[in-house]
Amino acid sequence: MKNNNPYLFNLDKCEANYTPLTPVSFLTRTARTYPDYLAVIDGDTQKTWREVNERVRKLASALINLGVSKNQTVSIIAPNSLSIFEAHFGIPLSGGVLNAINTRLSPREIAYIIEHARSEVFIVDTECMPSAKEALSKLNRELTVIEVPSSDIGISLDGALNYEEFLSSGDPNHELKELPEDEWDAISLNYTSGTTGNPKGVVYHYRGAYLNALGNIVAWEMPHHPVYLWTLPMFHCNGWCFPWTMAAVAGVNICLRQIHSKSIFDAIVDHGVTHFCGAPVVMGMVINAQEDEKRTFSHQVNMMTAAAPPPSAVLQSMESAGFSVTHVYGLTETYGPAVICAWKNEWDKLDDQQKIEKKSRQGVRYPVLEDLKILKPETLDAVASDGQELGETMFRGNIVMKGYLDDPDATQQAFAGGWFHSGDLGVMHDDQYIQLKDRSKDIIISGGENISSIEVENCLYAHADVIAAAVVAYPDEKWGEVPCAFVELVADSAISEQELIDFCKSQIARYKAPRIIIFQDLPKTSTGKIQKFQLREQAKSISRCT
């Protein structure tokens, strides 16, 4: 039969109807539309969107003159600041791949990343110079170092280029390649925490970065011109793609180099902050701030938080203090947040405790994520939508990474069966909202019963004296494993270990209550996540009768 389908003929891609997606285009549009609107506040430095665009183009031009081209990695280590914000646009615009490095890593880890990423250019804020300098000494090759002098720290590495002078060498009118050749090209390289070995390099593409930047706006219902406070590090999943998001909505970026309670409240009042992101530890800073650190404000401040589910007591305290908390979930491999606890109007009629319980769930997929399921990892069959049957959280769509750099085996394992396997265990509720129960390695199996460490942690957080809590398995001859809790207390708390254990027994099944509680400061990453791998090792060395 003759094919008369008109859609098959003369409807091809061309320059007029198709361009590769790139989040850099958000900056170009905003610089043209709102050139004189404030873009960045970094201490005493303020830049408009016109100025940021000009500086970004100079940075791209200077990098090209240095020899940077497609698929060449440019690394940067810096606190939240103007330079790392500019890097999110200037490095991709040069054709290079942006590699933002965690500022709290050891020199050995920094050296590993630079070598693994094959970086030829390294931008260093002098605040991070001690670690960066030692890392460079471990390399057996030379690379170009560009220093960004901090306000109170001078240039300290011989032979390094000065960032502002380097920008001055660039031409803002340089004919740049505005679009990538392919939206599947790499835009950035982010490294996992590496808690069980060397970190893995997670490769993002332009398409995913563009889509998730827009996904943040839609999912969070962000207006034009928000005032965004950078408590979340920009090196973490490229700041959950929010540098590109803020360019799209022409907002103001308030950069905090050091995060503490007073600086958060000062920014909210002095700059009218409307939005910020962060781990639950940041909520702890807000809730537990000293009276002389707090300041009053009348407008609502929106916070997006991830990591472990916020304990209901913490959420309640945040709401009472004037913060509207949105819970999201994602991984480095999903460009940051990819799941959101989307609020439903009918939930407004629930009582406060029921509302908090709803908010503590991870929720549903981002508008730009294609699919999200809780599956049995062995068979890839869906679990029952009963909020009880445990399975692995799996993702599919355009905001899943390209893969792991130079690690085909790990990439293949992560994508087995056509899904990204997160390693996070959870349940599916009847309304199709997911709720995490634990990392697969964090489930405590005691006497054949599965105990969710998150459930025990939420119970501990419900006590007024608890600031932070982490629960891990403790080996036990009779039960195999029992829960062991590490807890940070508020100042001047006099609660005893047994009193806190008894509190837990009054709230949850007695067999789930911690058998051991250790009071100490908890080890955390720079993004506020508690480093359970350290606590698991510590628990193994505890000698105590259970």
Side-chain angles (χ1 to χ4, degrees):
M1 178 182 291
K2 185 177 181 181
N3 191 335
N4 293 317
N5 187 339
Y7 295 102
L8 297 179
F9 303 99
N10 302 316
L11 294 174
D12 299 325
K13 290 180 182 178
C14 66
E15 290 185 6
N17 64 20
Y18 172 81
T19 60
L21 301 178
T22 168
V24 177
S25 66
F26 300 141
L27 172 61
T28 305
R29 176 186 181 275
T30 291
R32 290 175 179 172
T33 310
Y34 305 105
D36 298 321
Y37 279 51
L38 194 59
V40 178
I41 298 177
D42 178 7
D44 295 331
T45 300
Q46 298 190 9
K47 299 294 180 185
T48 65
W49 282 108
R50 185 204 313 273
E51 292 170 322
V52 168
N53 184 54
E54 180 175 324
R55 289 169 60 84
V56 161
R57 300 182 75 84
K58 285 182 177 181
L59 174 59
S61 171
L63 288 171
I64 291 171
N65 293 339
L66 204 59
V68 173
S69 59
K70 181 180 177 180
N71 290 336
Q72 289 188 328
T73 307
V74 177
S75 295
I76 180 170
I77 186 166
N80 289 336
S81 56
L82 175 63
S83 63
I84 194 168
F85 183 79
E86 292 171 340
H88 277 77
F89 301 89
I91 293 172
L93 198 55
S94 74
V97 178
L98 166 65
N99 168 227
I101 298 177
N102 187 328
T103 58
R104 293 181 65 180
L105 293 181
S106 68
R108 180 193 64 79
E109 292 167 315
I110 295 170
Y112 172 83
I113 288 173
I114 292 173
E115 196 61 29
H116 186 262
R118 302 176 182 84
S119 299
E120 296 292 339
V121 180
F122 189 21
I123 302 173
V124 182
D125 187 288
T126 50
E127 187 175 304
C128 306
M129 184 54 74
S131 295
K133 191 173 183 179
E134 186 175 342
L136 291 168
S137 71
K138 298 179 182 296
L139 301 178
N140 294 320
R141 62 184 178 88
E142 297 293 326
L143 67 163
T144 302
V145 178
I146 303 167
E147 289 185 335
V148 185
S150 299
S151 58
D152 56 346
I153 304 174
I155 294 176
S156 57
L157 187 67
D158 293 339
L161 304 175
N162 176 279
Y163 182 76
E164 291 298 329
E165 293 176 358
F166 182 70
L167 256 62
S168 297
S169 71
D171 179 2
N173 298 312
H174 190 129
E175 188 173 343
L176 301 170
K177 196 165 187 178
E178 303 286 343
L179 301 173
E181 294 177 7
D182 189 330
E183 60 188 23
W184 181 250
D185 288 345
I187 185 174
S188 66
L189 174 65
N190 293 285
Y191 280 80
T192 60
S193 59
T195 57
T196 57
N198 285 327
K200 294 192 288 288
V202 177
V203 183
Y204 291 177
H205 50 68
Y206 281 82
R207 179 181 179 84
Y210 179 98
L211 290 173
N212 219 35
L214 293 181
N216 288 332
I217 300 169
V218 176
W220 209 7
E221 301 181 34
M222 294 186 76
H224 267 66
H225 316 303
V227 181
Y228 183 88
L229 179 64
W230 277 104
T231 56
L232 177 77
M234 284 189 230
F235 63 69
H236 182 51
C237 307
N238 296 119
W240 295 353
C241 295
F242 271 94
W244 301 310
T245 294
M246 291 304 293
V249 293
V252 183
N253 295 271
I254 312 297
C255 297
L256 286 187
R257 285 177 168 263
Q258 303 297 329
I259 313 302
H260 47 75
S261 303
K262 187 177 186 304
S263 63
I264 293 173
F265 279 101
D266 284 346
I268 290 171
V269 176
D270 295 341
H271 300 297
V273 167
T274 59
H275 295 74
F276 71 104
C277 298
V281 66
V282 179
M283 286 193 284
M285 290 182 183
V286 172
I287 294 169
N288 298 298
Q290 300 297 314
E291 288 304 316
D292 60 351
E293 297 174 330
K294 295 179 180 179
R295 294 177 65 184
T296 57
F297 54 93
S298 58
H299 66 284
Q300 178 177 283
V301 179
N302 301 283
M303 180 185 185
M304 180 180 281
T305 188
S312 58
V314 173
L315 282 174
Q316 186 77 58
S317 297
M318 288 292 289
E319 298 284 345
S320 300
F323 296 85
S324 176
V325 180
T326 298
H327 188 207
V328 295
Y329 157 61
L331 304 95
T332 303
E333 291 88 341
T334 63
Y335 296 70
V339 179
I340 185 167
C341 188
W343 191 254
K344 296 182 178 181
N345 292 336
E346 54 265 35
W347 294 348
D348 290 336
K349 300 176 183 178
L350 300 175
D351 62 39
D352 289 344
Q353 184 57 38
Q354 289 173 320
K355 288 179 181 177
I356 294 300
E357 289 174 359
K358 293 289 188 185
K359 278 203 169 188
S360 68
R361 301 188 301 176
Q362 279 63 41
V364 296
R365 62 185 173 92
Y366 248 39
V368 292
L369 179 68
E370 194 59 33
D371 210 350
L372 169 75
K373 289 185 177 179
I374 305 293
L375 303 177
K376 301 173 185 177
E378 303 83 6
T379 63
L380 297 184
D381 293 329
V383 301
S385 300
D386 59 2
Q388 297 295 323
E389 187 176 8
L390 206 60
E392 185 176 356
T393 309
M394 300 197 188
F395 299 78
R396 176 183 284 168
N398 293 299
I399 56 171
V400 173
M401 65 173 179
K402 285 169 69 82
Y404 297 115
L405 186 68
D406 278 350
D407 199 339
D409 291 340
T411 300
Q412 185 176 8
Q413 183 178 358
F415 292 155
W419 291 89
F420 168 62
H421 297 239
S422 70
D424 290 326
L425 302 181
V427 298
M428 180 69 76
H429 289 275
D430 58 4
D431 61 0
Q432 300 303 295
Y433 277 56
I434 72 165
Q435 184 172 14
L436 295 189
K437 293 299 182 180
D438 230 324
R439 290 289 293 174
S440 56
K441 61 189 175 185
D442 289 338
I443 283 286
I444 300 165
I445 304 174
S446 184
E449 296 280 358
N450 287 347
I451 300 174
S452 165
S453 66
I454 290 175
E455 181 182 2
V456 185
E457 288 162 3
N458 281 344
C459 177
L460 289 163
Y461 274 111
H463 195 285
D465 284 8
V466 174
I467 293 177
V471 175
V472 299
Y474 178 81
D476 183 86
E477 289 186 6
K478 180 178 181 180
W479 302 107
E481 296 177 335
V482 294
C484 172
F486 293 84
V487 173
E488 286 184 25
L489 297 174
V490 298
D492 301 324
S493 172
I495 192 168
S496 70
E497 178 185 15
Q498 190 57 53
E499 287 172 332
L500 196 50
I501 291 174
D502 290 342
F503 170 80
C504 291
K505 288 180 178 179
S506 71
Q507 302 294 314
I508 57 177
R510 293 176 67 88
Y511 76 89
K512 296 179 180 180
R515 300 292 185 89
I516 298 171
I517 296 181
I518 307 297
F519 297 119
Q520 66 172 58
D521 290 338
L522 302 187
K524 302 180 184 73
T525 68
S526 55
T527 59
K529 293 181 181 179
I530 296 171
Q531 296 178 307
K532 279 194 173 181
F533 73 98
Q534 290 191 25
L535 299 177
R536 280 192 288 269
E537 290 301 313
Q538 187 176 337
K540 293 176 183 177
S541 66
I542 296 173
S543 176
R544 191 187 295 195
C545 177
T546 59

